[in-house]
Amino acid sequence: MTDEEWASGENAAEETSPVKVDTRRSVDDHLATVLAGIGRVDPIELTLLDAQGLLLAEDVAADHPLPSFDNSAMDGYAVRSVDVRDASAENPVVLPVVGDVIAGGRSVSGMGPGLAMRIMTGAPIPAGADAVVPLEDTDRGVARVGIREPARTGDAVRRTGEDLALGVTALTAGSAIGPQQIALLAALGRERVMVRPRPRVLVISTGSELVDVGKEPGFGQITDANSYLLTAAARDAGAASYRVGIVPDDHERLMDVLESQLLRADVLVTSGGVSMGAYDVVKEALSEVGSVEFIQVAMQPGKPQGFGHLGPSRTPIFCLPGNPVSSLVSFEVFVRPAIRKLLGKRRLERATVEATAMERMPSARGTRQYRRGLLHRELDGSYSVSTVGGPGSHLIAAMASANCLIVIDEEVDEVEPGARVPVIPLLLSQR
Ligand code: AMP
Ligand code: MG
């Protein structure tokens, strides 16, 4: 089917039957339904490096100041500033050196007037000293040192608490934990912190035609791509994702697998079996349960969608259509925002950019279309975009060469070349 046939086909159907009621739910309404059905995962305590990329679930106060003692900012000589007030290159002040203070040195003896101590960066300022003269401003003497520059009180001294005072809130609940925050927590001596955990997302592919990667598909069989696609996508979205594997189109087998996986899941995702066909087992089996709703969403690809809750903990379940492109688009539009909500993120949807369409893109009014595209950044910083492959939702190779989804809104029936279209870049995660 060409783009034109595809688009006009759906338009024609709508135009020739004016009494037809559109029972499809809009993308925005379905997303709102989904998000309303997503609760929260209880905070857990994790070690610092495991907390990377997550949001803090507690306020962290400084239970000691930073720095926790006055220490030297330079390698040099600890002095009393009054003793070196008149030092100059022409008339150096010469002081006896009464010892060394090294970083990590335990006992630091005090220092009397008229004396100096050799000191290293990070070493505690000895009692009696109030400034450090950097090596460069001295003759680097060992028994006696010639000081060539005057120093004022506090010069080259890192004061206790100047970075963070005792008791002050260092990080607030909701802060994102990246390398810098991990450094601060470590500096404060925290081994573990309370965080919003990664939701556990379990992925199941359904279809009696599916065989696992590594097995030779027989005639009419295909290798399961979706469980890999969706497990990777869930991980990319920040989840702890697990690939359960393949379940054939068999009512009982499906219910058994779902039941056995329920306990260890915060979210379940299935693919396949949600269309109108006779063997669309996911829809058949879960419709009976009553707590999962199967609807049509006014989008292409991804029209048939199932969403609801299963089990005593009301675990959210997404039943996505089986064509790989439909699965990806459904994931991006509905599941990703749900995972981000569970992570506690404020921004749930991916950022979009505006790009200039490099070609005509037909669409069907009333349906939001997501086309796979190649987003290109022009020299002037603006973006242009062209489509990859056709609208067919089985086109895995085209999907793999795309770097974005082009969004053609419901009210648009055709994007003209040169028009501006919203585009969702599918960037690799930074996780
Ligand atoms: P379904 O939604 O079950 O009707 O499947 C729609 C189309 O997607 C069929 O051509 C299936 O063979 C294909 N399909 C379903 N599940 C998968 C999967 N896990 N990997 C690749 N293709 C799939
Ligand atoms: Mg199927």
Side-chain angles (χ1 to χ4, degrees):
M1 186 160 59
T2 66
D3 288 6
E4 280 84 341
E5 283 164 351
W6 174 81
S8 62
E10 198 157 328
N11 274 335
E14 278 169 15
E15 277 159 20
T16 51
S17 51
V19 289
K20 183 181 149 200
V21 182
D22 191 351
T23 53
R24 301 175 307 167
R25 188 183 282 173
S26 74
V27 173
D28 290 340
D29 285 352
H30 189 54
L31 178 59
T33 305
V34 163
L35 291 176
I38 298 294
R40 50 177 295 159
V41 185
D42 288 337
I44 58 167
E45 201 175 39
L46 289 182
T47 57
L48 288 192
L49 289 176
D50 287 338
Q52 184 170 2
L54 299 174
L55 299 189
L56 202 56
E58 60 170 326
D59 289 339
V60 175
D63 58 11
H64 61 74
L66 286 181
S68 55
F69 54 89
D70 290 354
N71 67 84
S72 179
M74 314 276 279
D75 292 331
Y77 293 85
V79 297
R80 289 177 0 139
S81 54
V82 288
D83 294 340
V84 298
R85 208 170 33 196
D86 301 323
S88 66
E90 299 74 39
N91 284 307
V93 172
V94 178
L95 303 174
V97 179
V98 293
D100 281 352
V101 207
I102 60 169
R106 282 300 188 70
S107 70
V108 175
S109 47
M111 200 187 78
L115 302 175
M117 289 185 88
R118 207 154 63 135
I119 191 165
M120 318 306 152
T121 304
I125 303 292
D130 68 349
V132 171
V133 179
L135 274 185
E136 303 84 284
D137 296 339
T138 73
D139 63 6
R140 301 170 190 240
V142 178
R144 295 178 331 137
V145 62
I147 307 278
R148 301 198 197 108
E149 292 281 341
R152 283 161 309 172
T153 299
D155 279 0
V157 174
R158 301 160 168 173
R159 287 263 164 241
T160 303
E162 72 175 18
D163 191 9
L164 196 63
L166 176 69
V168 166
T169 302
L171 292 169
T172 51
S175 304
I177 305 172
Q180 308 93 303
Q181 292 70 35
I182 289 176
L184 174 56
L185 292 162
L188 288 172
R190 288 292 298 261
E191 286 183 279
R192 305 168 154 271
V193 279
M194 293 297 287
V195 294
R196 301 285 220 105
R198 298 189 184 283
R200 298 161 302 166
V201 175
L202 268 52
V203 179
I204 298 165
S205 282
T206 72
S208 294
E209 73 278 32
L210 303 177
V211 297
D212 218 333
V213 169
K215 296 217 176 77
E216 193 62 39
F219 178 75
Q221 295 186 315
I222 59 169
T223 307
D224 166 31
N226 289 351
S227 67
Y228 288 92
L229 167 72
L230 295 168
T231 307
R235 183 196 288 168
D236 185 89
S241 61
Y242 305 93
R243 189 186 153 265
V244 176
I246 302 167
V247 179
D249 292 318
D250 177 297
H251 193 130
E252 254 167 59
R253 292 276 295 280
L254 175 68
M255 294 315 282
D256 283 351
V257 171
L258 286 175
E259 206 178 309
S260 68
Q261 298 300 326
L262 212 48
L263 263 181
R264 51 188 207 107
D266 297 310
V267 175
L268 287 163
V269 179
T270 69
S271 83
V274 295
S275 308
M276 306 295 216
Y279 294 91
D280 282 325
V281 161
V282 177
K283 187 175 175 179
E284 279 169 30
L286 292 181
S287 294
E288 283 176 16
V289 176
S291 54
V292 184
E293 180 185 42
F294 290 87
I295 57 148
Q296 305 222 319
V297 177
M299 66 191 283
Q300 198 282 328
K303 185 164 74 166
Q305 293 288 334
F307 175 74
H309 300 89
L310 283 186
S313 311
R314 292 186 39 79
T315 307
I317 178 166
F318 290 87
C319 304
L320 309 182
N323 273 307
V325 181
S326 311
S327 268
L328 173 73
V329 170
S330 305
F331 180 92
E332 281 296 325
V333 177
F334 303 119
V335 187
R336 194 173 204 280
I339 291 173
R340 293 189 53 92
K341 183 175 180 193
L342 288 170
L343 284 163
K345 305 273 189 193
R346 237 167 282 148
R347 185 183 192 112
L348 303 184
E349 292 177 62
R350 283 204 202 251
T352 59
V353 299
E354 286 260 301
T356 304
M358 300 304 283
E359 64 194 64
R360 205 174 75 81
M361 301 172 197
S363 186
R365 196 181 284 271
T367 298
R368 190 180 302 177
Q369 194 187 169
Y370 293 88
R371 289 288 299 265
R372 275 62 62 211
L374 262 184
L375 184 64
H376 181 75
R377 193 160 193 266
E378 303 291 346
L379 283 175
D380 65 2
S382 67
Y383 291 99
S384 63
V385 69
S386 48
T387 60
V388 183
S393 45
H394 60 294
L395 302 171
I396 302 182
M399 172 172 80
S401 58
N403 64 2
C404 68
L405 295 175
I406 305 166
V407 186
I408 309 177
D409 281 331
E410 290 84 341
E411 66 274 15
V412 177
D413 56 13
E414 180 172 281
V415 175
E416 298 285 352
R420 307 283 286 162
V421 277
V423 167
I424 306 171
L426 299 176
L427 304 171
L428 283 181
S429 83
Q430 307 282 302
R431 175 187 148 122

